[in-house]
Short mmCIF file of all heavy atoms in Angstrom, two decimals:
data_model
loop_
_atom_site.label_atom_id
_atom_site.label_comp_id
_atom_site.label_asym_id
_atom_site.label_seq_id
_atom_site.Cartn_x
_atom_site.Cartn_y
_atom_site.Cartn_z
N GLY A 1 0.82 -1.21 0.00
CA GLY A 1 0.00 0.00 0.00
C GLY A 1 0.85 1.25 0.00
O GLY A 1 0.47 2.27 -0.61
N ARG A 2 1.99 1.21 0.68
CA ARG A 2 2.88 2.37 0.68
C ARG A 2 3.41 2.66 -0.72
O ARG A 2 3.51 3.81 -1.15
CB ARG A 2 4.05 2.15 1.65
CG ARG A 2 3.69 2.20 3.13
CD ARG A 2 4.97 2.11 3.96
NE ARG A 2 4.72 2.27 5.37
CZ ARG A 2 4.50 1.27 6.21
NH1 ARG A 2 4.46 0.02 5.76
NH2 ARG A 2 4.31 1.49 7.50
N PHE A 3 3.75 1.59 -1.45
CA PHE A 3 4.20 1.79 -2.83
C PHE A 3 3.08 2.39 -3.66
O PHE A 3 3.32 3.31 -4.47
CB PHE A 3 4.67 0.48 -3.45
CG PHE A 3 5.23 0.64 -4.84
CD1 PHE A 3 6.58 0.83 -5.04
CD2 PHE A 3 4.39 0.64 -5.96
CE1 PHE A 3 7.10 1.00 -6.31
CE2 PHE A 3 4.90 0.81 -7.24
CZ PHE A 3 6.25 0.99 -7.41
N ALA A 4 1.86 1.91 -3.49
CA ALA A 4 0.73 2.44 -4.25
C ALA A 4 0.55 3.93 -3.99
O ALA A 4 0.26 4.71 -4.92
CB ALA A 4 -0.55 1.68 -3.89
N SER A 5 0.74 4.36 -2.76
CA SER A 5 0.63 5.78 -2.43
C SER A 5 1.72 6.59 -3.12
O SER A 5 1.47 7.67 -3.66
CB SER A 5 0.72 5.98 -0.92
OG SER A 5 -0.37 5.36 -0.26
N ALA A 6 2.95 6.05 -3.12
CA ALA A 6 4.06 6.75 -3.77
C ALA A 6 3.84 6.84 -5.28
O ALA A 6 4.10 7.87 -5.90
CB ALA A 6 5.37 6.03 -3.48
N LEU A 7 3.32 5.78 -5.88
CA LEU A 7 3.05 5.80 -7.31
C LEU A 7 1.97 6.82 -7.63
O LEU A 7 2.05 7.54 -8.64
CB LEU A 7 2.63 4.41 -7.77
CG LEU A 7 2.28 4.27 -9.26
CD1 LEU A 7 3.47 4.63 -10.14
CD2 LEU A 7 1.78 2.86 -9.56
N SER A 8 0.96 6.90 -6.79
CA SER A 8 -0.12 7.87 -7.01
C SER A 8 0.43 9.30 -6.99
O SER A 8 0.07 10.13 -7.83
CB SER A 8 -1.20 7.70 -5.94
OG SER A 8 -2.21 8.68 -6.10
N GLU A 9 1.32 9.59 -6.05
CA GLU A 9 1.94 10.92 -5.99
C GLU A 9 2.73 11.20 -7.27
O GLU A 9 2.69 12.32 -7.81
CB GLU A 9 2.86 11.01 -4.78
CG GLU A 9 2.14 11.06 -3.44
CD GLU A 9 3.11 11.20 -2.27
OE1 GLU A 9 4.32 11.42 -2.53
OE2 GLU A 9 2.67 11.08 -1.12
N HIS A 10 3.47 10.20 -7.72
CA HIS A 10 4.26 10.34 -8.93
C HIS A 10 3.37 10.65 -10.14
O HIS A 10 3.67 11.55 -10.93
CB HIS A 10 5.04 9.03 -9.17
CG HIS A 10 5.89 9.01 -10.40
ND1 HIS A 10 7.10 9.65 -10.47
CD2 HIS A 10 5.71 8.41 -11.61
CE1 HIS A 10 7.63 9.46 -11.66
NE2 HIS A 10 6.80 8.71 -12.38
N GLN A 11 2.28 9.93 -10.27
CA GLN A 11 1.39 10.13 -11.41
C GLN A 11 0.62 11.44 -11.33
O GLN A 11 0.26 12.02 -12.37
CB GLN A 11 0.44 8.94 -11.51
CG GLN A 11 1.14 7.64 -11.88
CD GLN A 11 0.25 6.42 -11.78
OE1 GLN A 11 -0.66 6.37 -10.94
NE2 GLN A 11 0.50 5.42 -12.61
N THR A 12 0.38 11.90 -10.12
CA THR A 12 -0.27 13.21 -9.97
C THR A 12 0.67 14.33 -10.43
O THR A 12 0.26 15.28 -11.10
CB THR A 12 -0.67 13.45 -8.50
OG1 THR A 12 -1.62 12.44 -8.13
CG2 THR A 12 -1.27 14.82 -8.31
N ARG A 13 1.94 14.19 -10.06
CA ARG A 13 2.91 15.22 -10.47
C ARG A 13 3.19 15.17 -11.96
O ARG A 13 3.33 16.21 -12.60
CB ARG A 13 4.22 15.03 -9.69
CG ARG A 13 5.28 16.06 -10.03
CD ARG A 13 6.52 15.95 -9.16
NE ARG A 13 7.53 16.93 -9.53
CZ ARG A 13 8.72 17.03 -8.97
NH1 ARG A 13 9.05 16.21 -7.96
NH2 ARG A 13 9.59 17.92 -9.38
N TRP A 14 3.28 13.96 -12.52
CA TRP A 14 3.58 13.80 -13.94
C TRP A 14 2.52 12.92 -14.58
O TRP A 14 2.74 11.72 -14.78
CB TRP A 14 4.96 13.18 -14.13
CG TRP A 14 6.10 14.08 -13.74
CD1 TRP A 14 6.47 15.25 -14.34
CD2 TRP A 14 7.01 13.88 -12.66
NE1 TRP A 14 7.56 15.79 -13.72
CE2 TRP A 14 7.92 14.98 -12.67
CE3 TRP A 14 7.17 12.90 -11.68
CZ2 TRP A 14 8.94 15.10 -11.73
CZ3 TRP A 14 8.19 13.01 -10.76
CH2 TRP A 14 9.06 14.10 -10.79
N PRO A 15 1.39 13.46 -14.94
CA PRO A 15 0.38 12.66 -15.64
C PRO A 15 0.85 12.22 -17.02
O PRO A 15 0.35 11.25 -17.58
CB PRO A 15 -0.82 13.60 -15.74
CG PRO A 15 -0.26 14.98 -15.55
CD PRO A 15 0.94 14.84 -14.68
N GLY A 16 1.81 12.93 -17.56
CA GLY A 16 2.47 12.56 -18.80
C GLY A 16 3.96 12.74 -18.63
O GLY A 16 4.46 12.84 -17.51
N LEU A 17 4.68 12.78 -19.74
CA LEU A 17 6.13 12.98 -19.64
C LEU A 17 6.44 14.45 -19.38
O LEU A 17 5.74 15.34 -19.85
CB LEU A 17 6.81 12.52 -20.93
CG LEU A 17 6.74 11.02 -21.21
CD1 LEU A 17 7.40 10.70 -22.54
CD2 LEU A 17 7.40 10.23 -20.10
N PRO A 18 7.53 14.74 -18.64
CA PRO A 18 7.87 16.12 -18.30
C PRO A 18 8.56 16.83 -19.45
O PRO A 18 8.97 16.22 -20.45
CB PRO A 18 8.84 15.95 -17.13
CG PRO A 18 9.55 14.67 -17.45
CD PRO A 18 8.50 13.77 -18.07
N GLU A 19 8.68 18.14 -19.31
CA GLU A 19 9.53 18.90 -20.21
C GLU A 19 11.00 18.53 -19.94
O GLU A 19 11.35 18.04 -18.86
CB GLU A 19 9.33 20.41 -20.00
CG GLU A 19 7.92 20.89 -20.32
CD GLU A 19 7.57 20.73 -21.79
OE1 GLU A 19 8.49 20.89 -22.63
OE2 GLU A 19 6.40 20.46 -22.10
N GLU A 20 11.86 18.80 -20.91
CA GLU A 20 13.26 18.40 -20.79
C GLU A 20 13.91 18.94 -19.52
O GLU A 20 14.69 18.23 -18.87
CB GLU A 20 14.05 18.86 -22.02
CG GLU A 20 15.52 18.50 -21.96
CD GLU A 20 16.29 18.99 -23.17
OE1 GLU A 20 15.79 18.85 -24.30
OE2 GLU A 20 17.41 19.51 -22.98
N ALA A 21 13.60 20.17 -19.15
CA ALA A 21 14.25 20.78 -17.99
C ALA A 21 13.97 20.03 -16.70
O ALA A 21 14.74 20.12 -15.73
CB ALA A 21 13.81 22.24 -17.85
N GLU A 22 12.89 19.25 -16.65
CA GLU A 22 12.52 18.51 -15.45
C GLU A 22 12.87 17.03 -15.58
O GLU A 22 12.44 16.21 -14.75
CB GLU A 22 11.02 18.67 -15.18
CG GLU A 22 10.67 18.70 -13.71
CD GLU A 22 9.18 18.87 -13.47
OE1 GLU A 22 8.42 19.02 -14.44
OE2 GLU A 22 8.79 18.85 -12.29
N ALA A 23 13.68 16.69 -16.55
CA ALA A 23 13.95 15.27 -16.83
C ALA A 23 14.64 14.58 -15.67
O ALA A 23 14.35 13.42 -15.37
CB ALA A 23 14.79 15.15 -18.10
N ARG A 24 15.58 15.24 -15.01
CA ARG A 24 16.30 14.58 -13.92
C ARG A 24 15.36 14.26 -12.76
O ARG A 24 15.46 13.18 -12.18
CB ARG A 24 17.47 15.45 -13.45
CG ARG A 24 18.67 15.39 -14.36
CD ARG A 24 19.93 15.79 -13.63
NE ARG A 24 21.11 15.62 -14.47
CZ ARG A 24 22.34 15.42 -14.00
NH1 ARG A 24 22.54 15.35 -12.69
NH2 ARG A 24 23.37 15.27 -14.82
N ALA A 25 14.50 15.17 -12.41
CA ALA A 25 13.56 14.91 -11.32
C ALA A 25 12.68 13.71 -11.66
O ALA A 25 12.45 12.83 -10.82
CB ALA A 25 12.72 16.14 -11.05
N PHE A 26 12.20 13.67 -12.89
CA PHE A 26 11.33 12.58 -13.31
C PHE A 26 12.07 11.24 -13.33
O PHE A 26 11.56 10.23 -12.83
CB PHE A 26 10.77 12.89 -14.71
CG PHE A 26 9.98 11.77 -15.32
CD1 PHE A 26 8.65 11.58 -14.98
CD2 PHE A 26 10.57 10.90 -16.24
CE1 PHE A 26 7.91 10.54 -15.53
CE2 PHE A 26 9.84 9.87 -16.80
CZ PHE A 26 8.51 9.68 -16.44
N VAL A 27 13.27 11.23 -13.89
CA VAL A 27 14.02 9.98 -14.00
C VAL A 27 14.44 9.47 -12.63
O VAL A 27 14.36 8.27 -12.34
CB VAL A 27 15.25 10.17 -14.92
CG1 VAL A 27 16.19 8.98 -14.84
CG2 VAL A 27 14.78 10.38 -16.36
N GLU A 28 14.86 10.36 -11.76
CA GLU A 28 15.23 9.94 -10.40
C GLU A 28 14.05 9.28 -9.69
O GLU A 28 14.18 8.19 -9.11
CB GLU A 28 15.73 11.12 -9.59
CG GLU A 28 16.06 10.77 -8.14
CD GLU A 28 16.40 11.98 -7.31
OE1 GLU A 28 17.39 12.68 -7.66
OE2 GLU A 28 15.69 12.25 -6.32
#
């Protein structure tokens, strides 16, 4: 359940792929 919560946060922040300038945050 903790992983599911973390994934939900990730998808809320990036519903699609980010702009290039935010690539490191997304990949990390």
Side-chain angles (χ1 to χ4, degrees):
R2 288 186 175 92
F3 184 93
S5 296
L7 179 61
S8 177
E9 289 182 8
H10 179 77
Q11 293 171 329
T12 297
R13 181 174 178 182
W14 291 294
L17 294 178
E19 297 295 326
E20 179 181 317
E22 214 179 357
R24 282 202 175 205
F26 174 81
V27 169
E28 177 186 300

